[in-house]
Amino acid sequence: MTDGRRQVRVAVVQQPPVLLDREATLAAAVACLHTAADAGARLVVFPEAYVPGYPAWIWQLRPGPDYDLTSQIHEALVANAVDLDADGLTTLRQGAAERDVTVVCGVHERDGSFGRSTLYNTLVTIGPDGAVLNRHRKLVPTNPERMVWGEGDGRGLRVVDSPVGRLGGLICWENYMPLARVALYAEGVEIYVASTWDSGATWLATMRHIAAEGRCWVLGSGCSLRADDIPSTFPAREQLFGDGAPDRWINPGDSVVVRPGGEIVAGPLHREHGILYADIEPGRVAAEHRTLDVVGHYARDDVFTLTVDRSARTPVAPPA
């Protein structure tokens, strides 16, 4: 059991990616990792699809009239996605090992099996030795996200032991899926990462609700993005994102840290690029469950049953 008195400094990185550029974004991530480690952070969290950036363009493009432009952008996205089986996060893993920190980072994952180009919205957990501890693929892409990502499976829907505590996470609107949350509660999550493109009052209320419901620490990791953060080489940049004015926010971020019970202890970081820090006590989670444990004394196993299929979806092999 984690020592309830031990404090752990966490860092939630709210910095823009270099959109559609995997290597430049990874370099930026490693720089932020070093900055956070210099500030004493033992856990560094990046937002949803950070490498090489959330596909914000999908909310402007139309499936029919913009088909050619969508195809052009998607081709660049596939080329810059991360193949975990080919060690596509080498630099980030090396940075984690060098600084002895745990990292959670959202990526566009390319399933390289048999030369495939299917992409997944994946949350990767890296241990302080640089090893990949878990990869969770988003179960249900939201609305137009289905033009970008395939459906994930349950193999990564779990909590892992790490030096900072029992660590788990969900991606964006998965955090609105009650059974997905319960799957993490049932595995004793102490630090719950909610990596997202969402923002605003409803999202922040959800972060507080999860902390109250699960009696866990919640790290809401948001994406902050301005029009002038979009590279000038991005296809149809002005059409999709405007003239690049620095005061035009595409996403305000709203990263936040919430203690068990629902009190905000850091953030929200709104319309600002930066790194949000908080000192948390993962071991306090056990004591917080005294009054409410939704998978323990406040559960009704005789009435409700949760079954989670954590098997991996096996790709269909090409004919011999």
Side-chain angles (χ1 to χ4, degrees):
M1 180 181 296
T2 308
D3 182 356
R5 296 167 296 180
R6 182 176 68 93
Q7 286 197 335
V8 174
R9 174 156 290 190
V10 299
V12 182
V13 175
Q14 186 172 288
Q15 293 282 5
V18 183
L19 201 58
L20 293 183
D21 190 327
R22 178 185 59 243
E23 297 308 316
T25 300
L26 283 172
V30 171
C32 289
L33 184 155
H34 284 296
T35 298
D38 287 343
R42 310 308 308 151
L43 171 64
V44 182
V45 176
F46 295 88
E48 177 181 13
Y50 182 71
V51 184
Y54 181 86
W57 58 87
I58 61 176
W59 300 93
Q60 280 79 42
L61 291 173
R62 298 159 296 174
D66 298 318
Y67 183 87
D68 290 341
L69 176 57
T70 300
S71 297
Q72 179 186 357
I73 297 171
H74 191 76
E75 181 180 5
L77 179 61
V78 170
N80 283 274
V82 175
D83 184 347
L84 291 174
D85 294 333
D87 204 11
L89 290 181
T90 301
T91 55
L92 191 58
R93 292 196 311 100
Q94 290 174 341
E98 179 184 347
R99 299 309 301 268
D100 191 32
V101 299
T102 302
V103 174
V104 179
C105 184
V107 305
H108 292 260
E109 183 192 357
R110 179 177 179 175
D111 187 344
S113 303
F114 315 117
R116 295 177 182 278
S117 60
T118 296
L119 299 182
Y120 298 94
N121 183 342
T122 300
L123 196 62
V124 181
T125 302
I126 301 170
D129 60 353
V132 173
L133 301 179
N134 193 33
R135 62 176 174 185
H136 167 58
R137 291 174 172 175
K138 189 174 185 179
L139 296 170
V140 183
T142 303
N143 295 331
E145 291 179 356
R146 295 169 194 180
M147 296 188 295
V148 178
W149 295 310
E151 289 188 339
D153 54 34
R155 64 176 162 173
L157 191 61
R158 60 191 182 93
V159 172
V160 297
D161 283 312
S162 77
V164 297
R166 290 188 57 76
L167 182 61
L170 297 177
I171 304 168
C172 204
W173 278 19
E174 284 186 323
N175 293 281
Y176 294 144
M177 298 171 70
L179 297 183
R181 298 197 305 269
V182 173
L184 298 188
Y185 301 156
E187 293 216 328
V189 64
E190 294 175 326
I191 305 174
Y192 180 119
V193 174
S195 173
T196 190
W197 175 254
D198 206 346
S199 62
T202 300
W203 175 256
L204 292 172
T206 297
M207 297 298 93
R208 297 186 65 187
H209 170 82
I210 292 171
E213 176 183 71
R215 290 301 198 258
C216 51
W217 294 90
V218 174
L219 278 55
S221 177
C223 306
S224 63
L225 190 68
R226 299 182 309 199
D228 66 341
D229 295 320
I230 309 298
S232 59
T233 55
F234 193 94
R237 177 180 185 269
E238 187 170 342
Q239 171 191 335
L240 296 172
F241 302 108
D243 58 4
D247 60 346
R248 179 169 180 252
W249 286 88
I250 299 168
N251 192 308
D254 287 346
S255 292
V256 68
V257 178
V258 190
R259 77 166 69 248
E263 178 189 359
I264 294 176
V265 297
L269 197 62
H270 182 74
R271 290 196 171 188
E272 182 180 350
H273 296 333
I275 301 178
L276 186 67
Y277 296 99
D279 294 318
I280 70 173
E281 298 172 334
R284 293 297 304 166
V285 168
E288 293 288 342
H289 280 115
R290 180 182 66 83
T291 54
L292 178 65
D293 187 345
V294 295
V295 293
H297 64 77
Y298 221 88
R300 285 292 305 273
D301 294 337
D302 57 328
V303 178
F304 304 110
T305 302
L306 174 68
T307 301
V308 181
D309 181 356
R310 290 191 172 89
S311 60
R313 286 189 176 181
T314 304
V316 178

